[in-house]
Amino acid sequence: MRNFGFLFLIILLNGCSNDAVDENELSNQNSVLAFGFTEEDETVTGYIDDLTSTILIEYSDDTDLENLAVEITISENATIASGLDDMIDLSSEDFIVTVVAENGDERDYRISGYTKNLLSNPLGFNTGESWIFNGNGNTVGVDETDDGRNEFYVIKYEDGVSTDIQQTVIFNRDYSNKYILFIGDLTTEHVVEGSITRHPYFWGHQNGPFNFDNDPFEEVIQGDMRHQAGANVWEIVYDANILLDGVESVLFQMGQAGQVGDSWDGTKCKFRDIEVRVFETFEDSEVYVSNLYML
């Protein structure tokens, strides 16, 4: 009995000792749990990407990026080591916030802004106001849908007439050396096997004080923004391209691709959920496409 009582006393003391260690153990949590900024008495919530420790916030043309009134929630008992007041400046570059856990572990979060959709009337309401439709008859236009997200369309015939849909996006800020994203959900009624013909695509052109006599394609925004799936399959098509220094506007175009030797047969291709946005980095645009597009 005495041996049993002694063993019980050791177990009890060990248990008390472990509890004491647990109570005094410092937390290693250093996360941003919520982030937003206030604009006209409304809080705009940022998206927190823990994989890259990036916080993306969407802003409009009217947002004062030099004086953002921010609100931030971090892990319990953690502290902010640097750089965050009631107001921050995102007008020229991104912003770093360092969150420090109780045990001293630090984590840097990068706060980066991106624009709202820069297209006017992106759904093509009111017979496509703000858009330019190049074509004859009903070869280009907008189909109304029951779910409220109208579908632009382009039909190509063997008549040699240019058929496309365009809009010029005029910049109200300096977006030099930032990344412009074209993105949308595209499909086509028919395909030509092994060819680009009858597949819908995006294309763009930068406008500004440029002079590229030797290489005029420096101003072109093209990339790989073409539908490549099969007939009647909706496919999200996108790419982000760097903007030139001093860029003033961008021509955005939707069309139907063709290859020399392939015929046109009146195939209808369609575009929906169209967006044009500007990001600080290519990586920011990838985070947006993976986590926020069409939410």
Side-chain angles (χ1 to χ4, degrees):
M1 289 293 295
R2 284 181 300 190
N3 290 340
F4 176 79
F6 182 67
L7 179 62
F8 176 77
L9 179 61
I10 292 175
I11 293 173
L12 181 63
L13 289 174
N14 283 341
C16 290
S17 176
N18 288 337
D19 287 343
V21 170
D22 290 342
E23 289 174 359
N24 294 323
E25 189 176 88
L26 296 176
S27 172
N28 64 352
Q29 299 301 305
N30 52 12
S31 297
V32 173
L33 305 179
F35 187 92
F37 69 93
T38 302
E39 184 174 34
E40 296 181 355
D41 298 324
E42 180 181 354
T43 298
V44 180
T45 303
Y47 174 77
I48 302 169
D49 183 52
D50 284 317
L51 184 64
T52 61
S53 296
T54 299
I55 302 172
L56 293 181
I57 56 173
E58 181 186 56
Y59 62 85
S60 67
D61 276 342
D62 299 327
T63 302
D64 181 3
L65 294 178
E66 294 183 8
N67 299 285
L68 281 179
V70 298
E71 301 174 10
I72 183 169
T73 303
I74 60 177
S75 301
E76 186 176 3
N77 298 325
T79 57
I80 296 176
S82 62
L84 189 67
D85 301 324
D86 292 336
M87 312 289 286
I88 66 172
D89 184 354
L90 281 182
S91 60
S92 58
E93 58 186 15
D94 48 24
F95 194 91
I96 302 297
V97 170
T98 302
V99 181
V100 185
E102 278 187 295
N103 68 356
D105 288 348
E106 296 186 357
R107 184 176 183 182
D108 289 337
Y109 279 87
R110 176 177 157 272
I111 304 171
S112 184
Y114 68 97
T115 69
K116 290 182 177 292
N117 191 356
L118 296 176
L119 292 172
S120 298
N121 190 16
L123 294 177
F125 290 136
N126 302 320
T127 65
E129 182 180 348
S130 300
W131 292 91
I132 296 174
F133 295 89
N134 295 315
N136 287 340
N138 294 320
T139 57
V140 288
V142 185
D143 286 333
E144 294 185 3
T145 62
D146 294 334
D147 61 5
R149 55 178 190 179
N150 290 355
E151 297 170 358
F152 294 88
Y153 65 85
V154 173
I155 302 172
K156 295 285 275 189
Y157 292 103
E158 302 263 20
D159 55 9
V161 175
S162 174
T163 49
D164 58 55
I165 302 172
Q166 301 179 358
Q167 184 176 146
T168 297
V169 176
I170 299 174
F171 295 146
N172 295 318
R173 301 178 187 268
D174 181 11
Y175 292 126
S176 301
N177 304 309
K178 300 183 189 299
Y179 285 79
I180 190 164
L181 173 75
F182 292 174
I183 188 169
D185 202 13
L186 281 52
T187 191
T188 184
E189 290 179 336
H190 303 288
V191 298
V192 176
E193 292 299 328
S195 173
I196 66 174
T197 300
R198 302 176 193 164
H199 287 278
Y201 70 88
F202 294 141
W203 179 90
H205 187 273
Q206 303 188 52
N207 303 307
F210 315 131
N211 183 11
F212 295 106
D213 293 336
N214 294 329
D215 189 2
F217 294 104
E218 287 285 338
E219 303 168 28
V220 173
I221 299 172
Q222 194 166 30
D224 193 21
M225 295 180 291
R226 186 182 71 252
H227 178 271
Q228 300 184 58
N232 297 306
V233 176
W234 286 95
E235 179 184 18
I236 295 174
V237 174
Y238 70 94
D239 197 16
N241 290 264
I242 194 165
L243 290 166
L244 297 171
D245 193 24
V247 62
E248 297 169 351
S249 65
V250 163
L251 171 67
F252 170 75
Q253 176 179 296
M254 300 181 282
Q256 186 177 148
Q259 187 166 293
V260 175
D262 289 341
S263 63
W264 302 110
D265 65 347
T267 289
K268 185 177 190 178
C269 64
K270 295 184 284 188
F271 311 75
R272 67 185 183 190
D273 298 311
I274 309 301
E275 295 184 0
V276 173
R277 297 176 183 266
V278 174
F279 293 81
E280 293 291 327
T281 68
F282 179 83
E283 290 74 19
D284 288 349
S285 72
E286 290 285 290
V287 171
Y288 174 81
V289 172
S290 298
N291 301 282
L292 296 171
Y293 175 62
M294 288 204 300
L295 281 185

